[in-house]
Amino acid sequence: MPFLLSSTATHPRRSALTAPVPFRVVAGLVATLLLAGCGLVTPPRPASLLRFEFAATTGDGYMNQLLTIYNDGTRLLAPTLEFTALDAARSPLPAVQVTTLYGSDRGRLVVPPGGGVDVLVFAGEGAELAEDVAVSVRTAEAVEAPVVDVEPVVTPMDDSGRVLDRNSPFTAVSLRNDDSEPMSVRLVYIVWTEPEGDQRQQAEKVVPVGDLIVVPPKQSTLVPVTGAARTAVAGAAGRVPASIKAYLSR
């Protein structure tokens, strides 16, 4: 069942989200002790297990506008998030729309224990002023699936099975699962902007490759690149910055 949580602002590379609030901490401890004495202790709601950290830039060769989603629980969680863009003074930018590459704003991204990442896209008037985000958890659902401890290995290939790089016009993608449990993933082909000066790079186009893909344990699955994805690869590969990425999904 989904649960609701109020809005929480992220803090880039700071630990303000975990700052102590003495009265609340004491009240929480007293409530826990009282419940424990009656045998009524209940597990925390999934949404309360989520924390967030946003990094506007992450260095050369890495994706910018990265949202880290920490999962402090022991189960896979699929959150549906809402974002409010903030400027450098942490004031809201109401005209800026915030979307994601991996679907954490649509309940698509599955976050394992420990955590995962999504990548944000800012659009609209004032988008260039966005330096942080406030995150609201609309729902967070526990996913009934095995917990996997590795990320899928993504390898672009041609029709003959030859390994290529992301800058070549590949026609298939090999997904390898090195875990001992099956994993469910989605693939996206991302075309990036070519920013000038100190502007940040962000996704210009995100095209799904196939649908939900279940990769058996210790095996590889070959996914053909067809339709809109094949057109996007043919138009972008070797001409503009592009990536092929896989993420845990449902």
Side-chain angles (χ1 to χ4, degrees):
M1 294 291 292
F3 296 91
L4 299 179
L5 184 69
S6 58
S7 176
T8 303
T10 70
H11 297 268
R13 304 305 180 209
R14 295 193 295 272
S15 58
L17 287 179
T18 58
V21 184
F23 176 78
R24 292 180 181 175
V25 170
V26 171
L29 288 173
V30 170
T32 300
L33 290 171
L34 289 173
L35 288 173
C38 299
L40 298 177
V41 173
T42 57
R45 293 182 175 184
S48 70
L49 299 171
L50 297 173
R51 297 179 291 115
F52 308 95
E53 183 177 79
F54 176 72
T57 58
T58 53
D60 292 341
Y62 294 91
M63 295 181 292
N64 288 328
Q65 299 172 181
L66 191 71
L67 179 76
T68 300
I69 306 172
Y70 297 100
N71 176 1
D72 294 329
T74 58
R75 303 174 67 186
L76 299 169
L77 297 178
T80 299
L81 308 177
E82 288 185 350
F83 303 95
T84 300
L86 306 174
D87 64 16
R90 301 189 60 76
S91 298
L93 298 167
V96 177
Q97 299 85 48
V98 187
T99 56
T100 70
L101 267 62
Y102 299 159
S104 62
D105 56 342
R106 305 185 302 280
R108 279 282 184 89
L109 177 69
V110 170
V111 183
V117 299
D118 205 339
V119 183
L120 306 188
V121 179
F122 299 101
E125 183 181 355
E128 71 283 357
L129 301 176
E131 294 291 338
D132 198 0
V133 289
V135 184
S136 297
V137 182
R138 292 190 60 194
T139 63
E141 300 181 42
V143 178
E144 298 298 332
V147 173
V148 292
D149 295 323
V150 300
E151 295 183 356
V153 179
V154 180
T155 306
M157 308 183 78
D158 64 12
D159 288 332
S160 65
R162 183 167 59 98
V163 173
L164 303 173
D165 61 31
R166 62 177 179 161
N167 297 316
S168 300
F170 55 89
T171 55
V173 178
S174 171
L175 286 173
R176 191 177 81 237
N177 175 11
D178 291 331
D179 200 271
S180 58
E181 298 285 355
M183 64 170 59
S184 297
V185 303
R186 294 183 191 271
L187 271 170
V188 286
Y189 185 68
I190 307 160
V191 179
W192 302 97
T193 60
E194 297 183 272
E196 297 180 357
D198 59 355
Q199 292 181 335
R200 297 194 301 267
Q201 187 179 58
Q202 68 171 359
E204 185 174 55
K205 181 187 295 184
V206 183
V207 186
V209 180
D211 205 335
L212 185 67
I213 305 154
V214 179
V215 187
K218 303 295 184 181
Q219 294 187 38
S220 296
T221 296
L222 192 65
V223 182
V225 178
T226 60
R230 192 165 188 136
T231 300
V233 172
R239 296 180 177 88
V240 295
S243 301
I244 179 74
K245 297 289 185 180
Y247 59 93
L248 292 180
S249 189
R250 60 174 181 165

